[in-house]
Amino acid sequence: MAEAAVSYVAERLIDLLQKKIVFLKNVRQGVEGMQDELVRMKCFLKDADMKQEEDEAATIRNWVSEIRAVAYHAEDVIEIFIHQVESQKRQCFFIKCVFYPKKLYCLYKVGKEIESIQTRILEISNSRERYGIMHIQGLGDGEGSSTTREKMRELRRSSPLVANKDSVGLEKHVSSVVSILLKEDKRLRVASIVGMGGVGKTTLAKEVYNQTQIRDKFDTRAWLYVSQDHKPMKIIKELILQLANPEEDKVKIVDTMDKLSEAGLEEMLQRRLKDTCYLIVLDDIWTTEACDLIVRSFPDNGKSSRLLLTSRRKEVALHADPHATPYKLEVLSEEESWELFLKKVFAEDRECPQDLVDVGKEILEKCDGLPLAITVIGGLLAGKKKQRSEWQRVQRGLSSYLVKTQTYGVSTILALSYQDLPPHLKSCFLYLGLLQKGKDIPVKQLMHIWIAHGLIHQKGEQTLEDTVEDYLDELIGRNMLQVILVTADDRVKSCRLHDLLRDFCIMKAKEEMFLEVDYPSIPLSASRHRVLYSPVKRYEYLGNSKSYIRSLLSFDSSAKLVNLDCICTSSFKLLRVLYIDSPGLKVISDSIGKLCSLKYLGIGWKTCIKNFPHSISRLQNLETIDMPMSRFYSVKVPNVLWKLENLRHILGYINSPSLLKIDLPNNLQTLGSMPVHHWMHHENLTRMTHLQKVGLLIGSADNLDMTRLCDSLAELESLQSLCLEVEGSMKIHLVAGLSKLSRVVKLKLKGGLASIPVNSCVFPPKLCQLTLVNSNLHPDSIQVLEKLTNLSVLKLVKAFYYYDSYQEYRIRISENGFRGLKFLRMDQLMYMKAMNLGKGSMAGLKCLQIFKCYSLMSLPGELISLSNLEKLEIRGMPEAFIASLYVSHLHILQHIPNIVVGHPSTDSEEWIQQLEREYIATKATKFIQAFHERWLRRRLLRWLAPKTFLKVETLTLSILSFVWAIGLCPALGLSAAAGFFFTGAVAGTGLEAADRANGSL
């Protein structure tokens, strides 16, 4: 991590020189010299970081720690100086003149500090020779390899001859990989197994390697262990020896190979494989370079030969064969984890005593399905007494046991993935420890935090947000992050860090004086980032911290009042990230204006914030305000946002008692949601050249001119995403003005819609994604939407409501409708009975989601013709519907590779019963109304009737009204037909009595 720390600081100094050149002009030369020295130090840090793993490497660790400390100190000195100068810049001319001597003193002081830092860097650099630290740029040649790493390599060396008898849940995976290898194709193809460290990739490869089908298919088989410290020539020699016939002289072969060059060895290998159908397993391959150097040696002899590689990196697998999909091995399920646990702890009877079951399952939760962790803990418990107190003692120290360094433990395996990261990704990875444990990581929040800390650097014309996605994809490709949710266009929406990787992340961050979680081990430690799970008030001593804190995240669940004044001290003047998610936070005081370096301000769902203070106008470096995205969580903001020149993202619903001015921040890219009347009073929106995403709330009091709104939005030259939401019974009128939004590709409409015009030209011409929520549209509106030629994503959430209440409807898609659609979600279309697809409709559909459509009887039979459909996701559907999938619908689902079926809905039956009650009550109400009308029409002069008749008829009406008002028939178990019969009988009696009475007058 020292390499990562120094790389980060060196790049931060470059950024500061570029952005704050006016402030640093008098110390620029010193800063540049310091930055150059730090860059030169990077040449030695990779070797130093590796040597830290040696058992006797205390001196190396001290040397690395000194470099890290001086790098952090350099960053502090420059940032404090800039903080002081910027604070003076905001003063009036008179105050500037008064404090000018102070500015000169600051310049002199920072100059001396920089000189001292440069001297210290040179001293540290010169001392490296005493520790044997070499100049090293890469690791492929094996220079600088430590004894510990060599020992690790030998311990991890895999062999197909050693079977794993306790493997669990591999049967389905073995079958899938075998079918990939046996697929008909004469060419040499590469199959791959990818997954995180310790998930069982090698175990799976062994099982596949030893399958009878594989033995019969391939004439020649060989197994090679590659690892990070691969040496291509050594690997080729090892393979040639494996391929040698038993009667050949191995000593002679070795002598021959020693005389050959690398090209000669490759030729020798190719001769041996030329006329045979072979399978070669390349286990634990790490880099694309290693892949190129090794794979090129294998001949494509047209005999259906195969290579099978295992890797933690998806990139390597795709590089080896871009046309093959890597086989992703996931962690074990809860049931599989428990089975493996029993095999390891209770090898003989494989039964757990009842009093230990709950403790055992709590221990398994920490392993989170990782086979390696389960094996390690199982081995530990197997040697312990089978007593509850003994297991509880292991449980209390579980994290430290799994994470602390062991010769061949979980931490060591996970550390390999971390050590293989480039410096910029090491920093990004350590920041993952800041986020809340046990929760999925929202990618948007992670993106803003990384950017706020300066971890993301501009790459040409690529935006910072795009660079974040590249970094995130690389961590996912290395199987260090797990994807939880993706958007309709396949972008990661939320991800997850495995519990053990998170523990490793926090342990590593603590070693680097980088991060402290909850109670710091040293009350006044030098950690620069803090995560709190206890009340902020208990951390008032943070104000006396030895370092300038850069991040503070609080996930306190108590309701004790949180006062942020305790952190608005000098130790926090360089704070960049502040995130509070605590029910005790009810007020943000004016003191927050002291946090002038703040770039990210986050407020969680649990907080009770109602207002922002005027002092936020002093947060001139603020880039992101992150609040819950719900109109039921609306924060009143003073009319000062226009003063925040660096503000890029306002996430959440904002409001203000006065009209908000928001058209001045030129950097603003995201405006979460605000009342439309705040938007409409702006006359010059063209200056908001970077605004890409806008959300507007249309209230019941707003007399909205939709055409004028569209004209104002059309002025935004970068607008790509628009969300319009209406309150109550109001409706959005789709007007031709929407077609002026020529750059909008995403449109979300929440609330009632007036009927969609038959002409689909009312929508933006480049519209790709459309979401309709609570739209109350007629089902036939789908025939307008199907004509949107660029539409690739359509989400329908409670979009249709048939006006003949409670009557079910069908969705009919015309011939060749939705030709470009790739993603369709139908969510809570309660009355949709069926779906009919015309010939050629939705031909390009890749993902179909059906959620809580309770009336849907079956899937459309035309689904079988959707050859491009890759995923079908069904959740919250009635049990009868799900049961039919495996019986009557099986033939139309066979071509879909990924089918996800959630648990049957428990709400569907309740909804149907409620629907029946509402239906019966509605019919009864109509009948009673009709009866009253008939009675009034025929008996206008009923006051002339005898008193006895009036009593009878009044009693009849009272009984009818009472029975249906309280739903007596359903409560008594009577059917609807019985109820109607009862009603008709009583009503008929009343009318006949009235007729008789009338006739007697």
Side-chain angles (χ1 to χ4, degrees):
M1 172 59 189
E3 183 191 11
V6 172
S7 297
Y8 169 68
V9 172
E11 289 176 352
R12 282 282 299 150
L13 292 179
I14 294 173
D15 287 346
L16 291 172
L17 284 171
Q18 291 173 345
K19 296 177 182 178
K20 311 294 182 183
I21 190 170
V22 176
F23 301 148
L24 295 170
K25 60 183 178 181
N26 294 313
V27 293
R28 181 180 177 86
Q29 187 175 358
V31 175
E32 286 179 339
M34 181 169 59
Q35 183 244 329
D36 291 340
E37 286 295 332
L38 288 173
V39 170
R40 278 193 286 271
M41 292 296 289
K42 285 172 59 180
C43 300
F44 311 103
L45 284 170
K46 187 173 289 188
D47 186 46
D49 276 341
M50 291 189 301
K51 284 179 178 290
Q52 285 188 86
E53 305 302 325
E54 298 278 4
D55 295 334
E56 54 280 339
T59 53
I60 302 293
R61 282 194 290 272
N62 288 338
W63 186 82
V64 170
S65 178
E66 288 176 2
I67 295 177
R68 182 175 54 244
V70 76
Y72 285 158
H73 181 50
E75 184 190 16
D76 288 347
V77 167
I78 301 300
E79 288 198 353
I80 289 170
F81 173 69
I82 291 174
H83 173 75
Q84 292 170 339
V85 177
E86 282 187 329
S87 61
Q88 293 177 20
K89 180 186 175 185
R90 292 189 291 271
Q91 305 297 332
C92 65
F93 178 75
F94 176 74
I95 299 296
K96 287 181 182 178
C97 292
V98 171
F99 283 95
Y100 187 72
K102 183 178 179 180
K103 179 179 178 180
L104 293 178
Y105 173 73
C106 289
L107 281 170
Y108 170 77
K109 186 178 178 181
V110 76
K112 286 295 183 183
E113 288 272 16
I114 289 172
E115 286 181 13
S116 173
I117 291 170
Q118 282 183 299
T119 303
R120 183 65 186 137
I121 291 174
L122 288 173
E123 289 176 357
I124 296 172
S125 180
N126 293 334
S127 66
R128 66 180 175 80
E129 295 179 0
R130 296 199 300 269
Y131 305 132
I133 298 169
M134 297 176 292
H135 184 296
I136 180 168
Q137 295 287 1
L139 294 175
D141 53 5
E143 290 183 21
S145 59
S146 65
T147 306
T148 303
R149 291 203 332 277
E150 287 295 332
K151 187 188 299 181
M152 263 296 299
R153 190 179 192 280
E154 290 305 314
L155 283 170
R156 297 192 67 235
R157 177 180 288 278
S158 58
S159 168
L161 303 178
V162 182
N164 188 348
K165 297 180 180 179
D166 292 333
S167 60
V168 168
L170 282 182
E171 295 81 7
K172 57 185 178 183
H173 300 301
V174 170
S175 176
S176 298
V177 177
V178 167
S179 65
I180 292 172
L181 292 174
L182 298 182
K183 189 179 292 185
E184 282 297 326
D185 193 335
K186 295 294 183 182
R187 296 169 295 172
L188 172 65
R189 300 306 299 264
V190 182
S192 53
I193 303 170
V194 297
M196 70 176 291
V199 80
K201 300 181 295 297
T202 300
T203 303
L204 174 57
K206 285 181 186 179
E207 291 290 328
V208 171
Y209 186 86
N210 290 310
Q211 288 292 304
T212 304
Q213 293 171 276
I214 297 298
R215 291 172 179 270
D216 295 341
K217 168 68 176 178
F218 298 99
D219 307 323
T220 303
R221 294 177 304 131
W223 182 286
L224 293 172
Y225 173 63
V226 182
S227 83
Q228 286 171 299
D229 300 319
H230 69 280
K231 295 174 182 172
M233 291 186 67
K234 184 177 180 181
I235 289 173
I236 293 174
K237 288 179 180 179
E238 182 182 336
L239 178 56
I240 291 173
L241 284 175
Q242 284 192 46
L243 297 174
N245 295 323
E247 61 272 11
E248 288 187 77
D249 186 348
K250 302 292 178 62
V251 176
K252 186 177 180 180
I253 294 175
V254 171
D255 290 339
T256 303
M257 289 191 296
D258 288 341
K259 299 174 184 177
L260 296 175
S261 63
E262 186 171 348
L265 285 172
E266 290 180 3
E267 185 180 350
M268 184 177 181
L269 175 62
Q270 290 178 1
R271 283 199 306 269
R272 288 183 174 268
L273 295 174
K274 182 179 179 181
D275 298 317
T276 181
C277 176
Y278 60 86
L279 169 67
I280 310 295
V281 176
L282 302 173
D283 185 35
D284 197 25
I285 190 165
W286 284 79
T287 65
T288 55
E289 292 80 7
C291 191
D292 287 335
L293 291 171
I294 297 171
V295 172
R296 72 183 184 190
S297 304
F298 298 102
D300 185 355
N301 53 17
K303 293 185 177 293
S304 302
S305 297
R306 299 287 183 266
L307 301 180
L308 175 62
L309 62 86
T310 70
S311 180
R312 302 186 188 192
R313 297 179 59 184
K314 184 179 179 181
E315 176 195 9
V316 173
L318 290 174
H319 182 80
D321 192 339
H323 304 292
T325 302
Y327 189 82
K328 177 75 176 292
L329 187 59
E330 302 287 359
V331 296
L332 300 177
S333 65
E334 290 184 18
E335 295 78 11
E336 291 169 340
S337 298
W338 183 246
E339 184 182 348
L340 179 59
F341 180 78
L342 294 179
K343 283 185 176 183
K344 293 297 181 183
V345 182
F346 306 98
E348 295 182 3
D349 52 9
R350 296 185 179 178
E351 287 187 11
C352 180
Q354 198 61 37
D355 63 322
L356 297 178
V357 170
D358 58 335
V359 184
K361 291 194 173 180
E362 287 173 8
I363 290 173
L364 268 188
E365 283 183 16
K366 190 66 181 177
C367 298
D368 201 15
L370 191 67
L372 175 63
I374 298 171
T375 300
V376 170
I377 289 300
L380 172 67
L381 292 175
K384 299 284 185 181
K385 295 178 181 178
K386 304 302 185 285
Q387 296 176 353
R388 187 177 180 86
S389 59
E390 190 74 8
W391 279 32
Q392 287 175 332
R393 188 172 65 82
V394 171
Q395 183 187 7
R396 288 191 292 270
L398 192 59
S399 293
S400 59
Y401 183 84
L402 285 172
V403 172
K404 283 182 179 177
T405 303
Q406 307 162 43
T407 305
Y408 186 47
V410 178
S411 175
T412 311
I413 299 302
L414 299 180
L416 293 174
S417 293
Y418 173 75
Q419 291 163 7
D420 188 58
L421 292 174
H424 66 277
L425 283 184
K426 283 183 179 176
S427 298
C428 291
F429 176 75
L430 290 186
Y431 272 87
L432 296 174
L434 288 169
L435 302 175
Q436 190 173 9
K437 61 184 178 184
K439 299 288 185 180
D440 295 340
I441 301 172
V443 167
K444 289 291 184 185
Q445 183 185 32
L446 181 63
M447 174 188 298
H448 298 312
I449 289 177
W450 278 355
I451 291 174
H453 281 297
L455 299 176
I456 312 300
H457 302 280
Q458 200 83 33
K459 294 181 179 179
E461 297 181 358
Q462 193 176 36
T463 65
L464 294 176
E465 287 76 14
D466 288 340
T467 304
V468 168
E469 290 194 15
D470 289 344
Y471 286 10
L472 196 66
D473 287 343
E474 189 166 355
L475 286 172
I476 292 169
R478 291 169 176 266
N479 287 287
M480 298 188 75
L481 276 176
Q482 302 168 346
V483 177
I484 300 299
L485 287 176
V486 295
T487 62
D489 53 354
D490 281 337
R491 302 172 78 172
V492 181
K493 187 175 183 179
S494 66
C495 53
R496 181 174 174 270
L497 188 65
H498 192 281
D499 282 352
L500 296 179
L501 267 175
R502 185 179 186 276
D503 290 343
F504 171 81
C505 174
I506 292 173
M507 178 200 74
K508 201 69 180 174
K510 285 181 178 179
E511 288 178 4
E512 306 294 337
M513 296 187 300
F514 178 85
L515 170 69
E516 285 288 353
V517 177
D518 217 25
Y519 296 102
S521 54
I522 305 173
L524 296 178
S525 72
S527 296
R528 300 156 76 83
H529 308 276
R530 305 295 177 104
V531 182
L532 311 180
Y533 290 94
S534 299
V536 172
K537 188 175 181 180
R538 293 166 63 180
Y539 288 82
E540 292 181 358
Y541 65 85
L542 290 176
N544 300 316
S545 175
K546 290 182 179 179
S547 66
Y548 292 99
I549 295 175
R550 298 309 205 279
S551 305
L552 180 64
L553 291 89
S554 175
F555 303 102
D556 169 32
S557 58
S558 69
K560 293 183 179 179
L561 191 64
V562 173
N563 186 357
L564 295 184
D565 291 348
C566 65
I567 66 168
C568 297
T569 63
S570 59
S571 294
F572 288 86
K573 63 184 176 183
L574 299 183
L575 187 73
R576 296 186 196 133
V577 170
L578 176 62
Y579 181 82
I580 308 289
D581 190 12
S582 168
L585 183 62
K586 303 181 187 300
V587 177
I588 296 181
S589 65
D590 281 332
S591 60
I592 197 172
K594 298 177 182 178
L595 305 176
C596 295
S597 298
L598 197 65
K599 292 190 173 185
Y600 174 89
L601 174 60
I603 305 297
W605 277 100
K606 290 187 289 189
T607 58
C608 303
I609 301 297
K610 300 298 181 185
N611 302 282
F612 275 148
H614 280 77
S615 62
I616 64 169
S617 63
R618 299 204 297 268
L619 305 179
Q620 287 297 305
N621 290 302
L622 191 63
E623 296 177 351
T624 302
I625 299 175
D626 190 356
M627 298 178 294
M629 186 61 77
S630 170
R631 64 187 174 93
F632 302 107
Y633 192 112
S634 179
V635 178
K636 291 183 179 178
V637 180
N639 189 21
V640 295
L641 295 180
W642 60 275
K643 297 181 180 180
L644 303 177
E645 296 179 358
N646 291 304
L647 192 61
R648 294 160 59 91
H649 305 281
I650 304 174
L651 307 175
Y653 280 69
I654 60 172
N655 207 337
S656 177
S658 59
L659 290 176
L660 279 173
K661 188 177 183 179
I662 50 105
D663 60 342
L664 282 182
N666 291 333
N667 291 314
L668 193 64
Q669 296 179 16
T670 305
L671 180 59
S673 187
M674 67 184 298
V676 72
H677 62 270
H678 289 296
W679 178 269
M680 294 299 291
H681 86 279
H682 292 96
E683 296 181 356
N684 187 9
L685 295 169
T686 54
R687 69 185 75 187
M688 303 180 72
T689 56
H690 293 92
L691 192 58
Q692 299 175 9
K693 185 175 182 179
V694 173
L696 298 173
L697 176 63
I698 304 169
S700 54
D702 294 321
N703 186 16
L704 180 64
D705 183 345
M706 191 68 181
T707 302
R708 183 167 163 248
L709 173 62
C710 292
D711 290 341
S712 70
L713 292 169
E715 296 179 19
L716 304 174
E717 62 182 49
S718 299
L719 184 64
Q720 297 179 7
S721 177
L722 175 64
C723 176
L724 298 178
E725 181 176 3
V726 295
E727 290 182 331
S729 59
M730 290 191 62
K731 292 190 176 183
I732 301 174
H733 291 269
L734 299 180
V735 295
L738 278 173
S739 62
K740 297 179 183 178
L741 308 181
S742 58
R743 298 173 186 85
V744 170
V745 294
K746 294 183 182 180
L747 179 62
K748 187 173 188 178
L749 303 175
K750 299 175 69 175
L753 284 182
S755 59
I756 299 179
V758 177
N759 186 357
S760 59
C761 291
V762 296
F763 290 98
K766 296 182 181 178
L767 187 64
C768 295
Q769 298 189 29
L770 176 62
T771 302
L772 301 178
V773 182
N774 294 324
S775 303
N776 284 336
L777 287 172
H778 192 283
D780 290 346
S781 299
I782 198 79
Q783 293 171 8
V784 179
L785 302 179
E786 68 184 14
K787 297 174 184 175
L788 296 173
T789 54
N790 293 317
L791 194 65
S792 59
V793 174
L794 178 61
K795 300 177 185 178
L796 303 172
V797 184
K798 296 183 179 179
F800 303 124
Y801 197 92
Y802 202 66
Y803 294 104
D804 184 3
S805 299
Y806 316 111
Q807 180 173 336
E808 296 165 332
Y809 56 79
R810 292 174 179 266
I811 294 291
R812 293 181 174 87
I813 299 175
S814 307
E815 185 174 337
N816 295 321
F818 289 121
R819 291 292 293 176
L821 199 66
K822 300 287 191 299
F823 177 98
L824 174 61
R825 174 185 296 168
M826 296 187 293
D827 190 352
Q828 300 177 70
L829 305 185
M830 299 296 197
Y831 303 101
M832 180 178 69
K833 182 179 182 180
M835 182 178 178
N836 300 122
L837 307 182
K839 184 178 180 181
S841 63
M842 298 198 301
L845 193 69
K846 291 187 175 181
C847 180
L848 174 61
Q849 295 180 340
I850 301 175
F851 302 157
K852 297 185 178 181
C853 298
Y854 295 151
S855 300
L856 186 63
M857 305 298 292
S858 62
L859 290 173
E862 300 86 353
L863 213 63
I864 195 171
S865 64
L866 302 184
S867 57
N868 293 310
L869 191 60
E870 297 174 355
K871 184 176 183 180
L872 173 64
E873 190 171 354
I874 295 173
R875 299 188 187 277
M877 295 295 287
E879 190 171 352
F881 178 90
I882 293 177
S884 70
L885 292 178
Y886 303 103
V887 183
S888 56
H889 293 119
L890 196 59
H891 66 288
I892 66 174
L893 302 178
Q894 290 178 346
H895 68 292
I896 305 174
N898 188 2
I899 299 176
V900 179
V901 180
H903 294 293
S905 171
T906 56
D907 300 331
S908 58
E909 293 182 7
E910 186 177 322
W911 177 81
I912 292 171
Q913 291 172 2
Q914 175 66 23
L915 191 64
E916 289 177 349
R917 286 195 293 268
E918 291 176 0
Y919 180 80
I920 293 170
T922 301
K923 289 294 184 183
T925 302
K926 288 182 178 179
F927 179 84
I928 292 172
Q929 288 174 349
F931 175 79
H932 275 283
E933 290 172 2
R934 184 181 175 192
W935 175 71
L936 287 171
R937 187 171 59 250
R938 296 176 59 184
R939 297 292 176 265
L940 185 60
L941 302 174
R942 65 178 182 174
W943 56 274
L944 297 174
K947 292 181 179 180
T948 54
F949 164 70
L950 289 175
K951 290 180 181 179
V952 170
E953 188 171 24
T954 302
L955 179 62
T956 301
L957 291 174
S958 299
I959 292 172
L960 281 171
S961 301
F962 178 77
V963 167
W964 290 111
I966 65 172
L968 188 59
C969 286
L972 294 174
L974 297 176
S975 66
F980 289 136
F981 178 81
F982 172 75
T983 304
V986 176
T989 302
L991 289 173
E992 288 173 8
D995 287 337
R996 286 196 300 272
N998 188 44
S1000 66
L1001 293 177

